[in-house]
Structures are given as C-alpha cells and as structure tokens.
Amino acid sequence: MLKSIRTKTAFAIIIINLILGNGILFIGGKSSFTEEVNYALMGGMSMACILFYSLFFYYSAYETYSKFKLILLSILSCICVIFLGCCFTVLLKEPLEEFFRTIPAALLMGMMGNIMFFPVSILLGLLNFGIISYFKTQKGS
C-alpha cells in the first residue's frame, strides 16, 4: 500500500498532524468555559490538513531542499493549514446563500487563528521537519 517514500512521508505527517491538531482542539474545548468542543473547527482543520499536505507532497520536490529551507517550509505549511482550516470552518458553518459575505470573516478568523496558534505552528512545523528528515534518511539506506 505505502510503497514510495513520498507516500509514507505524506501519510505519516497527515496522520500525526490530524491526531495532534484534533487532540489540541478537543482538549482545549473541554477545558474552556463552556466545555464544548468545536467540531466544525476540527472538521475544517482536518480538511485543510489533508488537502494541503496531499497537494504539497504530490507537487513539491522537497527531497532536494536544504535543511533551512525545509524547516521554514514545514513551519509555513502549518501556518497555511491553520489559516485554511479557519477559513473552511467559517465557510462551512454559514448558510450557502451567505457564502460571499462570509469570506471577510473567514479571512479574519484565519489570521486570528494563526496569531493564537503560532507556537503550535512552530512545534508542529519542527515535528514535520523531523518526520521528513527521518524518511529522507530512510531513502538513502
């Protein structure tokens, strides 16, 4: 099933990011004042994660990148996933007839999500870099 290194890397990063990201959102929701989990946000983030990393590993030539470029790209990819996830959430929660009116709110929520989750973006980005580096060294073995 998972024959190529690119497929293994993409699968590992998507699964680990889904588990950690949804775990953070679930625990954060349970420990909030209302003790309600924002399942719409979890869905939007999951869609963004799967879509972004699937496209990234399909189209990029990350194997040729230097370590510095790969670290920056890993962190920026987490920022993009959070931004897209927040945007998808707003667009999913609103009625279809208000789609175009909710785009500014989606963009604002994406920016605010990145401000609040910037430390998480850095940590997940470094974790993603470690996963990519691990699979890159496995390719050489």
Side-chain angles (χ1 to χ4, degrees), residues 10-86:
F11 184 75
I13 285 184
I14 289 172
I15 294 299
I16 289 172
N17 279 273
L18 285 175
I19 291 170
L20 290 176
N22 287 330
I24 290 168
L25 292 173
F26 185 80
I27 292 169
K30 284 295 186 185
S31 64
S32 66
F33 293 117
T34 60
E35 293 185 4
E36 292 182 14
V37 178
N38 190 344
Y39 291 108
L41 183 60
M42 289 172 74
M45 290 289 192
S46 297
M47 285 184 350
C49 178
I50 293 168
L51 179 70
F52 182 85
Y53 286 121
S54 297
L55 292 174
F56 174 78
F57 286 107
Y58 185 76
Y59 288 110
S60 73
Y62 68 92
E63 297 96 344
T64 62
Y65 297 163
S66 67
K67 284 188 178 188
F68 181 71
K69 187 175 179 181
L70 201 53
I71 289 172
L72 285 179
L73 195 62
S74 296
I75 293 171
L76 286 174
S77 67
C78 287
I79 290 171
C80 288
V81 167
I82 290 174
F83 183 79
L84 288 173
C86 290

Side-chain angles (χ1 to χ4, degrees), residues 81-97:
V81 167
I82 290 174
F83 183 79
L84 288 173
C86 290
C87 290
F88 286 164
T89 301
V90 171
L91 295 175
L92 287 174
K93 288 179 87 170
E94 296 300 320
L96 190 59
E97 60 270 1

Side-chain angles (χ1 to χ4, degrees), residues 1-12:
M1 181 180 146
L2 301 174
K3 294 185 180 186
S4 75
I5 297 297
R6 292 175 72 87
T7 308
K8 288 179 184 179
T9 306
F11 184 75

